[in-house]
Amino acid sequence: QVQLVESGGGLVQAGGSLRLSCAASGRTFINYAMGWFRQAPGKEREFVAVISGSGGTTNYKDSVKGRFVISRDNAKNTVYLQMNSLKPEDTAVYYCAGRFGAVFFTVNKYDYWGQGTQVTVSS
């Protein structure tokens, strides 16, 4: 069982930055692909960024490429999402998710989820 706890959300003005963190329990963190997903009010949960267990492979939603960076520190069992040049349309609850093995982009491939952290970008 893997438990995930997100932190770092908040209210920021458009153009600002936030860094989300997700701390994972367990001793085999490197075996888990990790992802960040988000859900805006009235919308389905969507992929934002994913990273392989080693950190060697990353992928991003097109609308965040060049603005967001996903990374991980396997020694600290933590994955990060650095969000720069934030836009009002980035407003959502952001969720950290994990799965054993290969990285995927789809919500239903991930078995473990955090409780979510709210990110609000004002215009």
Side-chain angles (χ1 to χ4, degrees):
Q1 190 76 5
V2 175
Q3 293 185 325
L4 304 173
V5 179
E6 302 103 333
S7 61
L11 173 64
V12 64
Q13 289 188 331
S17 297
L18 283 174
R19 188 194 197 200
L20 306 183
S21 299
C22 173
S25 64
R27 293 173 291 179
T28 59
F29 184 63
I30 196 170
N31 293 333
Y32 287 78
M34 300 296 296
W36 286 98
F37 296 79
R38 67 187 182 188
Q39 188 166 16
K43 296 188 177 181
E44 293 187 352
R45 194 169 298 188
E46 64 178 7
F47 150 76
V48 175
V50 292
I51 187 168
S52 62
S54 67
T57 299
T58 58
N59 277 285
Y60 298 90
K61 179 180 175 63
D62 284 346
S63 63
V64 309
K65 284 180 181 177
R67 300 190 298 124
F68 291 10
V69 177
I70 189 170
S71 62
R72 63 191 295 160
D73 184 337
N74 287 337
K76 296 182 178 180
N77 281 16
T78 302
V79 62
Y80 305 97
L81 185 68
Q82 178 66 45
M83 304 186 295
N84 301 320
S85 302
L86 282 160
K87 303 176 181 180
E89 52 263 42
D90 294 318
T91 295
V93 177
Y94 282 70
Y95 295 90
C96 172
R99 70 179 309 279
F100 185 86
V103 64
F104 283 87
F105 308 143
T106 51
V107 171
N108 62 7
K109 290 290 189 180
Y110 285 77
D111 302 306
Y112 304 101
W113 293 85
Q115 81 286 355
T117 185
Q118 177 70 47
V119 171
T120 303
V121 185
S122 63
S123 57

